[in-house]
Amino acid sequence: VVDIRGLAYDVGADLEGYSDVSLLIVDANVTCGRVVPVLDALLEVVESLCERAPDADEWERVLTRYELDLATMLDDPAAVAGWAGMGALAGPDRRSSALGDRVGRLSQVRAEDLAPVARRYLRPHQAQLVVVGEVGPLERAAIRRRVHRARVQRGRRSGTQ
């Protein structure tokens, strides 16, 4: 979406896990007129995660990036404080997980494990979309259609709507 297609300046994701619920937050910084193509691309990524495992090279990039993100976090007192604070909110399982242990735990996950987990937890019928900035009426309608279509298509496949 960013590097290959050049559709957005930046795309990121964050997982907020609490003791009773979790939120996957995906954000993208785009220019006017690129909201719909970026939304299409992000929906393709989600669909791809639900359908098949990433190839070995992509999975290796994910593991490397996560390890680098954790190493960088250890150099940032505010980020470590945020981690500790979220751990306190999330409950005892997360509190007992040291940052360094996360890389070891993730390296035990196989790429083949991702699709079943994505199908279980990425539920479009529960998704919320927020667009900040000016969006014209045609673009707004296109966004609504795409979100509705994603909800209906995934709902049919997963048995929920």
Side-chain angles (χ1 to χ4, degrees), residues 13 45 49 52-71 102-103 105-107 109-111 114:
V45 169
L49 281 172
R52 62 190 163 285
D55 63 39
D57 290 339
E58 180 70 17
W59 186 238
E60 186 60 36
R61 283 193 297 275
V62 168
L63 294 175
T64 300
R65 174 66 187 261
Y66 188 69
E67 188 171 351
L68 290 171
D69 286 350
L70 285 177
R102 304 287 294 185
V103 173
R105 290 176 56 201
L106 185 63
S107 67
V109 176
R110 299 172 308 145
L114 295 182

PDB file of all heavy atoms in Angstrom, residues 13 45 49 52-71 102-103 105-107 109-111 114:
ATOM      1  N   ALA A  13      -0.649  -0.218  12.133  1.00  0.00           N
ATOM      2  CA  ALA A  13      -1.656  -0.986  12.867  1.00  0.00           C
ATOM      3  C   ALA A  13      -1.205  -1.098  14.314  1.00  0.00           C
ATOM      4  O   ALA A  13      -0.011  -1.139  14.603  1.00  0.00           O
ATOM      5  CB  ALA A  13      -1.841  -2.362  12.253  1.00  0.00           C
ATOM      6  N   VAL A  45      -5.794  -6.680   1.847  1.00  0.00           N
ATOM      7  CA  VAL A  45      -4.825  -7.249   2.783  1.00  0.00           C
ATOM      8  C   VAL A  45      -5.542  -8.096   3.832  1.00  0.00           C
ATOM      9  O   VAL A  45      -5.129  -9.219   4.130  1.00  0.00           O
ATOM     10  CB  VAL A  45      -3.987  -6.136   3.453  1.00  0.00           C
ATOM     11  CG1 VAL A  45      -3.167  -6.685   4.616  1.00  0.00           C
ATOM     12  CG2 VAL A  45      -3.076  -5.463   2.435  1.00  0.00           C
ATOM     13  N   LEU A  49      -5.154 -12.101   4.400  1.00  0.00           N
ATOM     14  CA  LEU A  49      -4.796 -12.714   5.688  1.00  0.00           C
ATOM     15  C   LEU A  49      -5.769 -13.815   6.072  1.00  0.00           C
ATOM     16  O   LEU A  49      -5.375 -14.812   6.674  1.00  0.00           O
ATOM     17  CB  LEU A  49      -4.784 -11.660   6.788  1.00  0.00           C
ATOM     18  CG  LEU A  49      -3.570 -10.755   6.876  1.00  0.00           C
ATOM     19  CD1 LEU A  49      -3.811  -9.646   7.892  1.00  0.00           C
ATOM     20  CD2 LEU A  49      -2.332 -11.549   7.236  1.00  0.00           C
ATOM     21  N   ARG A  52      -5.149 -17.023   3.147  1.00  0.00           N
ATOM     22  CA  ARG A  52      -3.917 -17.817   2.989  1.00  0.00           C
ATOM     23  C   ARG A  52      -2.785 -17.244   3.841  1.00  0.00           C
ATOM     24  O   ARG A  52      -2.777 -16.070   4.179  1.00  0.00           O
ATOM     25  CB  ARG A  52      -3.512 -17.875   1.534  1.00  0.00           C
ATOM     26  CG  ARG A  52      -3.193 -16.522   0.933  1.00  0.00           C
ATOM     27  CD  ARG A  52      -3.034 -16.591  -0.595  1.00  0.00           C
ATOM     28  NE  ARG A  52      -3.111 -15.303  -1.217  1.00  0.00           N
ATOM     29  CZ  ARG A  52      -4.214 -14.593  -1.419  1.00  0.00           C
ATOM     30  NH1 ARG A  52      -5.362 -15.069  -1.034  1.00  0.00           N
ATOM     31  NH2 ARG A  52      -4.184 -13.419  -1.994  1.00  0.00           N
ATOM     32  N   ALA A  53      -1.832 -18.110   4.100  1.00  0.00           N
ATOM     33  CA  ALA A  53      -0.658 -17.713   4.881  1.00  0.00           C
ATOM     34  C   ALA A  53       0.266 -16.836   4.031  1.00  0.00           C
ATOM     35  O   ALA A  53       0.333 -17.003   2.811  1.00  0.00           O
ATOM     36  CB  ALA A  53       0.103 -18.960   5.330  1.00  0.00           C
ATOM     37  N   PRO A  54       0.968 -15.912   4.665  1.00  0.00           N
ATOM     38  CA  PRO A  54       1.955 -15.138   3.905  1.00  0.00           C
ATOM     39  C   PRO A  54       3.096 -16.038   3.449  1.00  0.00           C
ATOM     40  O   PRO A  54       3.373 -17.069   4.080  1.00  0.00           O
ATOM     41  CB  PRO A  54       2.440 -14.096   4.919  1.00  0.00           C
ATOM     42  CG  PRO A  54       2.089 -14.642   6.256  1.00  0.00           C
ATOM     43  CD  PRO A  54       0.919 -15.544   6.070  1.00  0.00           C
ATOM     44  N   ASP A  55       3.747 -15.646   2.361  1.00  0.00           N
ATOM     45  CA  ASP A  55       4.881 -16.460   1.900  1.00  0.00           C
ATOM     46  C   ASP A  55       6.045 -16.307   2.881  1.00  0.00           C
ATOM     47  O   ASP A  55       6.038 -15.443   3.756  1.00  0.00           O
ATOM     48  CB  ASP A  55       5.276 -16.112   0.464  1.00  0.00           C
ATOM     49  CG  ASP A  55       5.757 -14.683   0.296  1.00  0.00           C
ATOM     50  OD1 ASP A  55       6.473 -14.176   1.187  1.00  0.00           O
ATOM     51  OD2 ASP A  55       5.441 -14.071  -0.736  1.00  0.00           O
ATOM     52  N   ALA A  56       7.044 -17.153   2.728  1.00  0.00           N
ATOM     53  CA  ALA A  56       8.159 -17.209   3.682  1.00  0.00           C
ATOM     54  C   ALA A  56       8.899 -15.879   3.779  1.00  0.00           C
ATOM     55  O   ALA A  56       9.270 -15.451   4.883  1.00  0.00           O
ATOM     56  CB  ALA A  56       9.123 -18.326   3.292  1.00  0.00           C
ATOM     57  N   ASP A  57       9.118 -15.206   2.647  1.00  0.00           N
ATOM     58  CA  ASP A  57       9.822 -13.915   2.677  1.00  0.00           C
ATOM     59  C   ASP A  57       9.033 -12.861   3.438  1.00  0.00           C
ATOM     60  O   ASP A  57       9.592 -12.100   4.229  1.00  0.00           O
ATOM     61  CB  ASP A  57      10.098 -13.416   1.252  1.00  0.00           C
ATOM     62  CG  ASP A  57      11.137 -14.248   0.539  1.00  0.00           C
ATOM     63  OD1 ASP A  57      11.929 -14.941   1.220  1.00  0.00           O
ATOM     64  OD2 ASP A  57      11.172 -14.205  -0.711  1.00  0.00           O
ATOM     65  N   GLU A  58       7.723 -12.805   3.199  1.00  0.00           N
ATOM     66  CA  GLU A  58       6.879 -11.832   3.890  1.00  0.00           C
ATOM     67  C   GLU A  58       6.853 -12.108   5.386  1.00  0.00           C
ATOM     68  O   GLU A  58       6.942 -11.202   6.208  1.00  0.00           O
ATOM     69  CB  GLU A  58       5.457 -11.860   3.321  1.00  0.00           C
ATOM     70  CG  GLU A  58       4.514 -10.880   3.973  1.00  0.00           C
ATOM     71  CD  GLU A  58       4.801  -9.430   3.648  1.00  0.00           C
ATOM     72  OE1 GLU A  58       5.533  -9.151   2.676  1.00  0.00           O
ATOM     73  OE2 GLU A  58       4.290  -8.560   4.369  1.00  0.00           O
ATOM     74  N   TRP A  59       6.741 -13.359   5.763  1.00  0.00           N
ATOM     75  CA  TRP A  59       6.712 -13.715   7.174  1.00  0.00           C
ATOM     76  C   TRP A  59       8.029 -13.350   7.845  1.00  0.00           C
ATOM     77  O   TRP A  59       8.052 -12.850   8.972  1.00  0.00           O
ATOM     78  CB  TRP A  59       6.375 -15.190   7.343  1.00  0.00           C
ATOM     79  CG  TRP A  59       6.198 -15.603   8.772  1.00  0.00           C
ATOM     80  CD1 TRP A  59       6.884 -16.569   9.442  1.00  0.00           C
ATOM     81  CD2 TRP A  59       5.279 -15.051   9.730  1.00  0.00           C
ATOM     82  NE1 TRP A  59       6.449 -16.661  10.743  1.00  0.00           N
ATOM     83  CE2 TRP A  59       5.468 -15.739  10.944  1.00  0.00           C
ATOM     84  CE3 TRP A  59       4.321 -14.045   9.672  1.00  0.00           C
ATOM     85  CZ2 TRP A  59       4.736 -15.454  12.092  1.00  0.00           C
ATOM     86  CZ3 TRP A  59       3.595 -13.762  10.820  1.00  0.00           C
ATOM     87  CH2 TRP A  59       3.809 -14.462  12.006  1.00  0.00           C
ATOM     88  N   GLU A  60       9.129 -13.578   7.158  1.00  0.00           N
ATOM     89  CA  GLU A  60      10.448 -13.211   7.701  1.00  0.00           C
ATOM     90  C   GLU A  60      10.542 -11.694   7.905  1.00  0.00           C
ATOM     91  O   GLU A  60      11.079 -11.226   8.910  1.00  0.00           O
ATOM     92  CB  GLU A  60      11.561 -13.699   6.778  1.00  0.00           C
ATOM     93  CG  GLU A  60      12.955 -13.480   7.328  1.00  0.00           C
ATOM     94  CD  GLU A  60      13.210 -14.190   8.657  1.00  0.00           C
ATOM     95  OE1 GLU A  60      12.687 -15.311   8.850  1.00  0.00           O
ATOM     96  OE2 GLU A  60      13.914 -13.624   9.507  1.00  0.00           O
ATOM     97  N   ARG A  61       9.994 -10.914   6.970  1.00  0.00           N
ATOM     98  CA  ARG A  61       9.981  -9.451   7.128  1.00  0.00           C
ATOM     99  C   ARG A  61       9.141  -9.041   8.336  1.00  0.00           C
ATOM    100  O   ARG A  61       9.512  -8.128   9.073  1.00  0.00           O
ATOM    101  CB  ARG A  61       9.444  -8.770   5.868  1.00  0.00           C
ATOM    102  CG  ARG A  61      10.446  -8.717   4.736  1.00  0.00           C
ATOM    103  CD  ARG A  61      10.015  -7.772   3.622  1.00  0.00           C
ATOM    104  NE  ARG A  61       8.791  -8.178   2.955  1.00  0.00           N
ATOM    105  CZ  ARG A  61       8.716  -9.047   1.955  1.00  0.00           C
ATOM    106  NH1 ARG A  61       9.818  -9.610   1.492  1.00  0.00           N
ATOM    107  NH2 ARG A  61       7.561  -9.344   1.403  1.00  0.00           N
ATOM    108  N   VAL A  62       8.021  -9.717   8.551  1.00  0.00           N
ATOM    109  CA  VAL A  62       7.176  -9.412   9.712  1.00  0.00           C
ATOM    110  C   VAL A  62       7.943  -9.665  10.999  1.00  0.00           C
ATOM    111  O   VAL A  62       7.954  -8.827  11.905  1.00  0.00           O
ATOM    112  CB  VAL A  62       5.870 -10.252   9.682  1.00  0.00           C
ATOM    113  CG1 VAL A  62       5.137 -10.177  11.005  1.00  0.00           C
ATOM    114  CG2 VAL A  62       4.981  -9.805   8.545  1.00  0.00           C
ATOM    115  N   LEU A  63       8.575 -10.819  11.098  1.00  0.00           N
ATOM    116  CA  LEU A  63       9.327 -11.149  12.308  1.00  0.00           C
ATOM    117  C   LEU A  63      10.459 -10.165  12.547  1.00  0.00           C
ATOM    118  O   LEU A  63      10.673  -9.701  13.674  1.00  0.00           O
ATOM    119  CB  LEU A  63       9.880 -12.578  12.212  1.00  0.00           C
ATOM    120  CG  LEU A  63       8.845 -13.693  12.198  1.00  0.00           C
ATOM    121  CD1 LEU A  63       9.522 -15.036  11.965  1.00  0.00           C
ATOM    122  CD2 LEU A  63       8.036 -13.717  13.481  1.00  0.00           C
ATOM    123  N   THR A  64      11.189  -9.819  11.500  1.00  0.00           N
ATOM    124  CA  THR A  64      12.303  -8.878  11.617  1.00  0.00           C
ATOM    125  C   THR A  64      11.811  -7.505  12.036  1.00  0.00           C
ATOM    126  O   THR A  64      12.383  -6.867  12.922  1.00  0.00           O
ATOM    127  CB  THR A  64      13.067  -8.786  10.286  1.00  0.00           C
ATOM    128  OG1 THR A  64      13.564 -10.088   9.953  1.00  0.00           O
ATOM    129  CG2 THR A  64      14.230  -7.812  10.379  1.00  0.00           C
ATOM    130  N   ARG A  65      10.734  -7.047  11.424  1.00  0.00           N
ATOM    131  CA  ARG A  65      10.190  -5.732  11.756  1.00  0.00           C
ATOM    132  C   ARG A  65       9.721  -5.695  13.207  1.00  0.00           C
ATOM    133  O   ARG A  65       9.959  -4.726  13.928  1.00  0.00           O
ATOM    134  CB  ARG A  65       9.028  -5.410  10.808  1.00  0.00           C
ATOM    135  CG  ARG A  65       8.274  -4.147  11.125  1.00  0.00           C
ATOM    136  CD  ARG A  65       9.161  -2.924  10.918  1.00  0.00           C
ATOM    137  NE  ARG A  65       8.517  -1.721  11.363  1.00  0.00           N
ATOM    138  CZ  ARG A  65       7.892  -0.865  10.573  1.00  0.00           C
ATOM    139  NH1 ARG A  65       7.835  -1.099   9.278  1.00  0.00           N
ATOM    140  NH2 ARG A  65       7.352   0.214  11.066  1.00  0.00           N
ATOM    141  N   TYR A  66       9.063  -6.740  13.664  1.00  0.00           N
ATOM    142  CA  TYR A  66       8.573  -6.785  15.036  1.00  0.00           C
ATOM    143  C   TYR A  66       9.743  -6.753  16.017  1.00  0.00           C
ATOM    144  O   TYR A  66       9.704  -6.046  17.028  1.00  0.00           O
ATOM    145  CB  TYR A  66       7.722  -8.037  15.244  1.00  0.00           C
ATOM    146  CG  TYR A  66       7.007  -8.068  16.567  1.00  0.00           C
ATOM    147  CD1 TYR A  66       5.968  -7.182  16.834  1.00  0.00           C
ATOM    148  CD2 TYR A  66       7.360  -8.970  17.552  1.00  0.00           C
ATOM    149  CE1 TYR A  66       5.298  -7.201  18.046  1.00  0.00           C
ATOM    150  CE2 TYR A  66       6.702  -9.001  18.768  1.00  0.00           C
ATOM    151  CZ  TYR A  66       5.678  -8.118  19.013  1.00  0.00           C
ATOM    152  OH  TYR A  66       5.030  -8.139  20.209  1.00  0.00           O
ATOM    153  N   GLU A  67      10.781  -7.511  15.714  1.00  0.00           N
ATOM    154  CA  GLU A  67      11.956  -7.526  16.577  1.00  0.00           C
ATOM    155  C   GLU A  67      12.597  -6.141  16.640  1.00  0.00           C
ATOM    156  O   GLU A  67      12.975  -5.669  17.716  1.00  0.00           O
ATOM    157  CB  GLU A  67      12.959  -8.558  16.067  1.00  0.00           C
ATOM    158  CG  GLU A  67      14.116  -8.791  17.005  1.00  0.00           C
ATOM    159  CD  GLU A  67      14.972  -9.969  16.578  1.00  0.00           C
ATOM    160  OE1 GLU A  67      14.600 -10.710  15.661  1.00  0.00           O
ATOM    161  OE2 GLU A  67      16.040 -10.127  17.189  1.00  0.00           O
ATOM    162  N   LEU A  68      12.703  -5.466  15.498  1.00  0.00           N
ATOM    163  CA  LEU A  68      13.258  -4.113  15.480  1.00  0.00           C
ATOM    164  C   LEU A  68      12.371  -3.132  16.246  1.00  0.00           C
ATOM    165  O   LEU A  68      12.869  -2.260  16.962  1.00  0.00           O
ATOM    166  CB  LEU A  68      13.449  -3.637  14.041  1.00  0.00           C
ATOM    167  CG  LEU A  68      14.567  -4.324  13.255  1.00  0.00           C
ATOM    168  CD1 LEU A  68      14.502  -3.913  11.789  1.00  0.00           C
ATOM    169  CD2 LEU A  68      15.918  -4.002  13.855  1.00  0.00           C
ATOM    170  N   ASP A  69      11.059  -3.258  16.096  1.00  0.00           N
ATOM    171  CA  ASP A  69      10.138  -2.384  16.825  1.00  0.00           C
ATOM    172  C   ASP A  69      10.289  -2.554  18.334  1.00  0.00           C
ATOM    173  O   ASP A  69      10.290  -1.580  19.087  1.00  0.00           O
ATOM    174  CB  ASP A  69       8.691  -2.653  16.422  1.00  0.00           C
ATOM    175  CG  ASP A  69       8.345  -2.106  15.055  1.00  0.00           C
ATOM    176  OD1 ASP A  69       9.148  -1.345  14.473  1.00  0.00           O
ATOM    177  OD2 ASP A  69       7.253  -2.453  14.554  1.00  0.00           O
ATOM    178  N   LEU A  70      10.425  -3.796  18.782  1.00  0.00           N
ATOM    179  CA  LEU A  70      10.603  -4.036  20.213  1.00  0.00           C
ATOM    180  C   LEU A  70      11.938  -3.501  20.708  1.00  0.00           C
ATOM    181  O   LEU A  70      12.010  -2.899  21.784  1.00  0.00           O
ATOM    182  CB  LEU A  70      10.484  -5.526  20.529  1.00  0.00           C
ATOM    183  CG  LEU A  70       9.084  -6.103  20.510  1.00  0.00           C
ATOM    184  CD1 LEU A  70       9.119  -7.596  20.774  1.00  0.00           C
ATOM    185  CD2 LEU A  70       8.186  -5.417  21.526  1.00  0.00           C
ATOM    186  N   ALA A  71      12.999  -3.685  19.920  1.00  0.00           N
ATOM    187  CA  ALA A  71      14.311  -3.166  20.311  1.00  0.00           C
ATOM    188  C   ALA A  71      14.278  -1.649  20.402  1.00  0.00           C
ATOM    189  O   ALA A  71      14.845  -1.050  21.333  1.00  0.00           O
ATOM    190  CB  ALA A  71      15.374  -3.628  19.308  1.00  0.00           C
ATOM    191  N   ARG A 102       8.537 -11.474  23.994  1.00  0.00           N
ATOM    192  CA  ARG A 102       7.598 -11.374  22.883  1.00  0.00           C
ATOM    193  C   ARG A 102       8.194 -11.903  21.587  1.00  0.00           C
ATOM    194  O   ARG A 102       7.519 -12.580  20.823  1.00  0.00           O
ATOM    195  CB  ARG A 102       7.142  -9.928  22.681  1.00  0.00           C
ATOM    196  CG  ARG A 102       6.529  -9.278  23.885  1.00  0.00           C
ATOM    197  CD  ARG A 102       5.183  -9.767  24.200  1.00  0.00           C
ATOM    198  NE  ARG A 102       4.258  -9.390  23.158  1.00  0.00           N
ATOM    199  CZ  ARG A 102       2.971  -9.616  23.213  1.00  0.00           C
ATOM    200  NH1 ARG A 102       2.459 -10.182  24.271  1.00  0.00           N
ATOM    201  NH2 ARG A 102       2.184  -9.280  22.234  1.00  0.00           N
ATOM    202  N   VAL A 103       9.460 -11.603  21.311  1.00  0.00           N
ATOM    203  CA  VAL A 103      10.094 -12.068  20.075  1.00  0.00           C
ATOM    204  C   VAL A 103      10.172 -13.588  20.065  1.00  0.00           C
ATOM    205  O   VAL A 103       9.843 -14.227  19.069  1.00  0.00           O
ATOM    206  CB  VAL A 103      11.501 -11.446  19.894  1.00  0.00           C
ATOM    207  CG1 VAL A 103      12.217 -12.054  18.696  1.00  0.00           C
ATOM    208  CG2 VAL A 103      11.400  -9.937  19.752  1.00  0.00           C
ATOM    209  N   ARG A 105       8.234 -15.650  21.642  1.00  0.00           N
ATOM    210  CA  ARG A 105       6.883 -16.196  21.478  1.00  0.00           C
ATOM    211  C   ARG A 105       6.412 -16.073  20.035  1.00  0.00           C
ATOM    212  O   ARG A 105       5.795 -16.994  19.499  1.00  0.00           O
ATOM    213  CB  ARG A 105       5.922 -15.491  22.434  1.00  0.00           C
ATOM    214  CG  ARG A 105       6.183 -15.875  23.886  1.00  0.00           C
ATOM    215  CD  ARG A 105       5.315 -15.139  24.871  1.00  0.00           C
ATOM    216  NE  ARG A 105       3.906 -15.334  24.573  1.00  0.00           N
ATOM    217  CZ  ARG A 105       2.962 -14.508  24.996  1.00  0.00           C
ATOM    218  NH1 ARG A 105       3.277 -13.448  25.705  1.00  0.00           N
ATOM    219  NH2 ARG A 105       1.698 -14.736  24.711  1.00  0.00           N
ATOM    220  N   LEU A 106       6.692 -14.940  19.400  1.00  0.00           N
ATOM    221  CA  LEU A 106       6.265 -14.770  18.017  1.00  0.00           C
ATOM    222  C   LEU A 106       7.020 -15.700  17.073  1.00  0.00           C
ATOM    223  O   LEU A 106       6.449 -16.220  16.118  1.00  0.00           O
ATOM    224  CB  LEU A 106       6.457 -13.317  17.557  1.00  0.00           C
ATOM    225  CG  LEU A 106       5.931 -13.025  16.158  1.00  0.00           C
ATOM    226  CD1 LEU A 106       4.420 -13.231  16.091  1.00  0.00           C
ATOM    227  CD2 LEU A 106       6.288 -11.624  15.726  1.00  0.00           C
ATOM    228  N   SER A 107       8.280 -15.959  17.359  1.00  0.00           N
ATOM    229  CA  SER A 107       9.046 -16.843  16.479  1.00  0.00           C
ATOM    230  C   SER A 107       8.519 -18.276  16.506  1.00  0.00           C
ATOM    231  O   SER A 107       8.807 -19.061  15.603  1.00  0.00           O
ATOM    232  CB  SER A 107      10.532 -16.809  16.840  1.00  0.00           C
ATOM    233  OG  SER A 107      10.744 -17.373  18.108  1.00  0.00           O
ATOM    234  N   VAL A 109       5.329 -18.906  16.291  1.00  0.00           N
ATOM    235  CA  VAL A 109       4.127 -18.891  15.464  1.00  0.00           C
ATOM    236  C   VAL A 109       4.521 -19.204  14.028  1.00  0.00           C
ATOM    237  O   VAL A 109       5.477 -18.652  13.499  1.00  0.00           O
ATOM    238  CB  VAL A 109       3.423 -17.513  15.536  1.00  0.00           C
ATOM    239  CG1 VAL A 109       2.235 -17.467  14.594  1.00  0.00           C
ATOM    240  CG2 VAL A 109       3.001 -17.208  16.959  1.00  0.00           C
ATOM    241  N   ARG A 110       3.780 -20.073  13.404  1.00  0.00           N
ATOM    242  CA  ARG A 110       4.036 -20.407  12.000  1.00  0.00           C
ATOM    243  C   ARG A 110       3.133 -19.552  11.116  1.00  0.00           C
ATOM    244  O   ARG A 110       2.008 -19.207  11.505  1.00  0.00           O
ATOM    245  CB  ARG A 110       3.751 -21.881  11.745  1.00  0.00           C
ATOM    246  CG  ARG A 110       4.616 -22.824  12.575  1.00  0.00           C
ATOM    247  CD  ARG A 110       4.187 -24.263  12.439  1.00  0.00           C
ATOM    248  NE  ARG A 110       2.757 -24.379  12.709  1.00  0.00           N
ATOM    249  CZ  ARG A 110       1.947 -25.232  12.100  1.00  0.00           C
ATOM    250  NH1 ARG A 110       2.399 -26.053  11.199  1.00  0.00           N
ATOM    251  NH2 ARG A 110       0.659 -25.283  12.399  1.00  0.00           N
ATOM    252  N   ALA A 111       3.598 -19.242   9.938  1.00  0.00           N
ATOM    253  CA  ALA A 111       2.809 -18.442   9.002  1.00  0.00           C
ATOM    254  C   ALA A 111       1.460 -19.107   8.725  1.00  0.00           C
ATOM    255  O   ALA A 111       0.450 -18.424   8.565  1.00  0.00           O
ATOM    256  CB  ALA A 111       3.592 -18.232   7.706  1.00  0.00           C
ATOM    257  N   LEU A 114      -1.711 -18.107  10.796  1.00  0.00           N
ATOM    258  CA  LEU A 114      -2.330 -16.783  10.724  1.00  0.00           C
ATOM    259  C   LEU A 114      -3.728 -16.775  10.124  1.00  0.00           C
ATOM    260  O   LEU A 114      -4.612 -16.082  10.632  1.00  0.00           O
ATOM    261  CB  LEU A 114      -1.431 -15.829   9.932  1.00  0.00           C
ATOM    262  CG  LEU A 114      -0.087 -15.523  10.584  1.00  0.00           C
ATOM    263  CD1 LEU A 114       0.680 -14.530   9.735  1.00  0.00           C
ATOM    264  CD2 LEU A 114      -0.259 -15.006  11.987  1.00  0.00           C
TER     265      LEU A 114
END
